[in-house]
Amino acid sequence: MKRILPIAVVLTLCAGLASAQLNVWRWQNPLPVGNYLRAVQMVSLNTIYVCGDNGNFMRSTDGGASWDVQNNVLKIDTKLNSLSFLDQNYGMICGDAGRLIKTTDGGKSWQNIVTDAKYNFNGILVLDKNIAIVISNVGSVLRTNDGGKNWISVPLEETRELFSIKKHSTDFLTITGYAGTLRRSTDMGLTWPAIETKIGNSFYSANFSDSLTGTIVGENAVMRHTSDGGVTWSDQQLADKSIITANLNVIDGKDPNIMAIVGNHGTLLYTTDGGTR
């Protein structure tokens, strides 16, 4: 299973402390935190939210120049895997062991959301202040209509581990997952018909500029493009014909032609022609 970027840790014993503090260790490099960071969302040019291991949540309101760091939010010591903010105030975070938390003030305070799930939530998408969807490592999709008070399981004909969920337009959502899993919803997540890809690699991320045109990326550098809504797919190649083998973890773009892909081993790919090259 893919996960995002490890951050190296260097600890230095702080000199000059009072004798009662000589056994205290503090993060020296990197700052502001040394945990694995697993999800990021740029809500505006200045406001950025990040979550990661050990219940870590970070917030910047100056474009990343400085950070407010919260460790072990609500005493959570497990991984926080995904976050989704509707605006600068309202958002949810999901994590391992069925963790779901919610904020209405931009992360200044949090409340637990209770579900019966004990498995790991890998992705979350907040559509409005009532509707949110979470996906899991056991292939389940849960949906709420009341801001997280109650959750309903969405039936799927096949359950495989699901890695990411993404909104491409108001009425077009996708889920990617294990062994070629790609699903779409055009009804705010009520149903998730499968899109046939005819490939066994796991897909970690998708980006669609409209209901017909999209690119999926994933395991072992798989990168496929469709212009007919998934009826047919073509393999994408790099402009210089070089070969990459790293897992490709995330693809994103706000313009139909301009997209970026990040992957393992520092892989970074960029296109200005919608993925033709």
Side-chain angles (χ1 to χ4, degrees):
M1 175 182 166
K2 61 97 185 179
R3 270 300 163 220
I4 306 195
L5 307 171
I7 294 183
V9 174
V10 176
L11 290 175
T12 301
L13 182 61
C14 296
L17 297 177
S19 58
Q21 295 179 306
L22 286 179
N23 292 325
V24 175
W25 289 79
R26 303 183 187 278
W27 288 114
Q28 297 297 297
N29 182 43
L31 289 175
V33 71
N35 293 320
Y36 281 73
L37 303 178
R38 299 183 178 272
V40 59
Q41 182 177 348
M42 195 167 188
V43 181
S44 69
L45 288 177
N46 292 317
T47 305
I48 309 169
Y49 297 126
V50 180
C51 68
D53 286 7
N54 300 316
N56 177 255
F57 174 76
M58 295 164 49
R59 174 183 59 203
S60 175
T61 57
D62 54 15
S66 63
W67 293 88
D68 170 33
V69 180
Q70 299 178 33
N71 293 306
N72 305 114
V73 172
L74 296 178
K75 298 183 179 179
I76 295 172
D77 58 5
T78 55
K79 299 173 185 175
L80 297 178
N81 296 321
S82 179
L83 53 75
S84 181
F85 276 75
L86 188 65
D87 51 36
Q88 295 185 16
N89 293 312
Y90 188 93
M92 295 184 184
I93 295 178
C94 69
D96 284 3
R99 288 288 188 181
L100 277 174
I101 59 176
K102 173 182 175 180
T103 182
T104 58
D105 56 14
K108 296 177 183 177
S109 62
W110 295 91
Q111 55 184 287
N112 271 313
I113 298 176
V114 179
T115 72
D116 294 330
K118 303 301 180 184
Y119 40 76
N120 300 337
F121 290 132
N122 288 338
I124 187 166
L125 179 63
V126 174
L127 296 178
D128 58 36
K129 290 187 177 181
N130 292 313
I131 301 173
I133 304 164
V134 289
I135 60 173
S136 79
N137 67 324
V138 297
S140 62
V141 177
L142 301 181
R143 186 178 187 274
T144 181
N145 289 319
D146 54 15
K149 295 177 183 177
N150 297 283
W151 294 83
I152 299 173
S153 179
V154 178
L156 301 175
E157 70 277 8
E158 186 176 27
T159 55
R160 295 174 174 175
E161 182 169 10
L162 303 175
F163 295 128
S164 70
I165 179 170
K166 193 171 182 180
K167 175 183 175 180
H168 306 284
S169 64
T170 302
D171 58 354
F172 186 63
L173 319 174
T174 60
I175 288 174
T176 56
Y178 178 77
T181 297
L182 178 62
R183 296 182 176 275
R184 90 170 86 199
S185 176
T186 57
D187 55 11
M188 301 285 281
L190 290 171
T191 59
W192 291 93
I195 300 176
E196 181 58 54
T197 59
K198 296 183 174 64
I199 190 169
N201 299 59
S202 294
F203 295 131
Y204 298 145
S205 186
N207 192 72
F208 280 77
S209 58
D210 55 49
S211 61
L212 297 177
T213 308
T215 302
I216 50 176
V217 300
E219 182 182 22
N220 297 328
V222 63
M223 182 167 46
R224 308 201 84 195
H225 181 80
T226 183
S227 56
D228 54 18
V231 177
T232 59
W233 295 88
S234 60
D235 289 322
Q236 301 296 281
Q237 295 183 345
L238 302 186
D240 61 3
K241 306 301 182 183
S242 60
I243 297 174
I244 56 174
T245 58
N247 290 349
L248 302 178
N249 297 330
V250 179
I251 180 172
D252 199 14
K254 301 302 182 184
D255 181 281
N257 293 314
I258 301 174
M259 294 183 290
I261 299 171
V262 294
N264 289 3
H265 314 305
T267 301
L268 175 60
L269 307 176
Y270 182 73
T271 182
T272 57
D273 59 10
T276 302
R277 294 184 300 166

